[in-house]
Amino acid sequence: MSRAWQTVTAPLVRENPVTLQILGICSALAVTTSLRTALVMCAALTVVLVASAGIVSLIRRHIPDAIRLIVMIVIVAALVIVADEVLAAFAYGVSKELSIFVGLIVTNCLVLGRAESFARHNPPGPAMLDALGNALGYSLVLVIVGTVRELFGYGTLLGLTILPTVEDGGWYRPLGLMQLAPAAFFIIGALVWAVRSAQPDQVETPEHRLEAAE
Amino acid sequence: MGDLFLDAIFADNLALSFFLGMCTYLAVSKQVSTAVGLGLAVIVVQGATVPLNALIWHGLLAPGAWAWAGLPDVDLSFLRIVAFIGVIAAFVQVLEMVLERHVPTLYRALGIFLPLITVNCAILGGSLFMVERRLDLTGSVVWGLGSGIGWALAICAFAAIRERLAYADMPKGLQGLGSAFIVTGLMSLGFSAFGGLTP
């Protein structure tokens, strides 16, 4: 039990896929303009990641090494198509907002990365737990970035007004920058900084160092 | 077409305004020389696969593409993700073999980057954007080349900044990934200023 628990919780903060492993960053930045799109993206990614880890792990003894990448990409692509079509059928508005980013889960390095480095060598149970943990770690980052960007960009959360804006007679002046691309980079940069200040062993050692002049 | 080209390079830069190809962008930008190699490879692959995928999309997958065969109701558009990724993977594989056989010098320069490109979301993203923006064949050539050049430009500029940053004295937690994100954010601000370039 405790090992399973550890497999799920380790990637939440300590081995977070986005801040430490640098996996799946593209979508983490692109879909976070509002909390709702971020949550939908998290759900889609969690489903695809867990299902692909399970399938890859089930057939791990039958995949020839030389063509394993293609096999994995096809499995992931099939799952992504299902996710994409389900979203388009039941949540058309959100699926339009996410535009191509659901399709891009295919090339999300997080999915292939976990399939390649974990699911390929482990039985389905642990592989799916590992996938779930990583998906939750990724979702955590997306939710934080999405919350910050929506709250300060529009003064709302999930469409509910939290900070009444000046246009609606309130006091809050929305930060337009939060809705633009650069803000996403800044927030993730700050997040990486925060995680690494809390976990000093993750600090990258510089390859070059200037000697003091004295 | 000129507008589309400039937009693809600057205002709609795939790396800086759509966050595509970020993983490779962050991982292969420690040196300008490798960044240039990867950038060239992306321009070639992007410039070729987007028009190829446009042909496949308009000829086989788009709703109504089979009207000539008496099947106007066939809509295969849900297959686009698998079809595009297959075309990209196959193209990269073929390009690698052709280069190795006929242009060994270029193969040595680009060789190690080609496999990376299959999983670069900028390439698949370029093709998916081509569908979403309803570009025709000429449009897709322009968009493919422009977005490839834009991505290459972004990674080369970023690598140059990062080479200098190696000597910067910054807080420990910011070293490496943290500073990389903030620099990219600043570059993204700069590139969005190009938005007014096209009327």
Side-chain angles (χ1 to χ4, degrees):
Chain A
M1 179 59 214
S2 67
R3 262 201 65 208
W5 181 245
Q6 218 177 6
T7 325
V8 176
T9 51
L12 279 186
V13 178
R14 200 157 44 76
E15 290 166 26
N16 189 287
V18 177
T19 62
L20 180 66
Q21 308 173 41
I22 328 189
L23 293 176
I25 289 169
C26 327
S27 48
L29 296 162
V31 299
T32 49
T33 46
S34 74
L35 189 53
R36 199 164 51 103
T37 50
L39 283 174
V40 173
M41 184 68 188
C42 295
L45 185 105
T46 308
V47 171
V48 171
L49 187 53
V50 172
S52 69
I55 296 175
V56 168
S57 152
L58 273 179
I59 58 170
R60 69 187 185 282
R61 294 187 212 286
H62 307 286
I63 306 179
D65 242 18
I67 59 161
R68 63 171 192 280
L69 277 181
I70 299 187
V71 173
M72 287 192 246
I73 286 190
V74 171
I75 293 172
V76 176
L79 289 166
V80 167
I81 290 178
V82 173
D84 200 15
E85 297 290 314
V86 168
L87 274 185
F90 294 105
Y92 189 70
V94 180
S95 130
K96 272 279 148 238
E97 272 177 61
L98 286 172
S99 90
I100 65 166
F101 288 99
V102 175
L104 284 177
I105 295 179
V106 178
T107 49
N108 191 317
C109 10
L110 179 54
V111 181
L112 272 184
R114 292 328 291 178
E116 168 82 17
S117 65
F118 198 91
R120 208 156 59 83
H121 310 290
N122 290 283
M128 285 167 83
L129 282 179
D130 171 76
L132 182 67
N134 276 284
L136 290 179
Y138 169 91
S139 307
L140 188 68
V141 172
L142 250 73
V143 167
I144 293 176
V145 180
T147 308
V148 173
R149 283 182 79 182
E150 188 178 347
L151 186 62
F152 294 108
Y154 291 125
T156 60
L157 272 184
L158 289 172
L160 298 172
T161 308
I162 305 288
L163 307 171
T165 52
V166 174
E167 284 112 81
D168 300 339
W171 52 272
Y172 183 68
R173 206 172 283 281
L175 286 170
L177 176 68
M178 280 295 166
Q179 289 304 313
L180 301 178
F185 288 113
F186 294 143
I187 295 170
I188 296 234
L191 211 57
V192 171
W193 189 6
V195 169
R196 291 193 176 175
S197 306
Q199 316 249 347
D201 53 314
Q202 291 186 6
V203 171
E204 288 169 51
T205 44
E207 285 160 30
H208 317 275
R209 186 178 292 284
L210 286 185
E211 298 294 326
E214 300 151 56
Chain B
M1 284 298 131
D3 288 358
L4 182 64
F5 190 64
L6 285 180
D7 260 350
I9 296 182
F10 295 112
D12 284 349
N13 189 294
L14 282 186
L16 297 175
S17 63
F18 290 107
F19 317 99
L20 294 182
M22 268 297 133
C23 310
T24 356
Y25 175 88
L26 290 168
V28 197
S29 56
K30 292 211 165 115
Q31 278 182 341
V32 174
S33 51
T34 47
V36 170
L38 181 67
L40 281 179
V42 166
I43 296 178
V44 172
V45 175
Q46 185 85 312
T49 54
V50 173
L52 260 178
N53 283 333
L55 278 179
I56 291 180
W57 170 253
H58 292 302
L60 297 174
L61 301 177
W66 289 87
W68 54 270
L71 300 165
D73 295 331
V74 174
D75 178 1
L76 293 177
S77 55
F78 67 93
L79 281 179
R80 63 180 182 276
I81 295 172
V82 162
F84 290 173
I85 196 87
V87 167
I88 291 166
F91 180 82
V92 169
Q93 201 77 57
V94 171
L95 186 69
E96 206 175 340
M97 287 190 275
V98 170
L99 282 184
E100 190 176 11
R101 178 79 181 73
H102 297 289
V103 205
T105 37
L106 196 59
Y107 176 73
R108 272 197 295 279
L110 295 185
I112 52 163
F113 300 117
L114 286 172
L116 271 181
I117 282 184
T118 317
V119 289
N120 186 330
C121 39
I123 308 287
L124 181 64
S127 291
L128 290 176
F129 266 126
M130 173 272 296
V131 170
E132 196 174 271
R133 299 183 171 192
R134 298 163 203 279
L135 297 174
D136 56 3
L137 192 57
T138 12
S140 71
V141 174
V142 172
W143 164 254
L145 273 180
S147 58
I149 293 173
W151 200 88
L153 191 67
I155 193 173
C156 293
F158 180 57
I161 296 176
R162 242 182 135 173
E163 271 190 2
R164 287 304 176 98
L165 272 189
Y167 301 104
D169 183 20
M170 58 180 107
K172 281 219 154 38
L174 264 183
Q175 271 159 12
L177 190 59
S179 63
F181 272 118
I182 293 182
V183 168
T184 313
L186 291 173
M187 281 176 64
S188 164
L189 263 186
F191 267 65
S192 65
F194 286 116
L197 208 60
T198 51

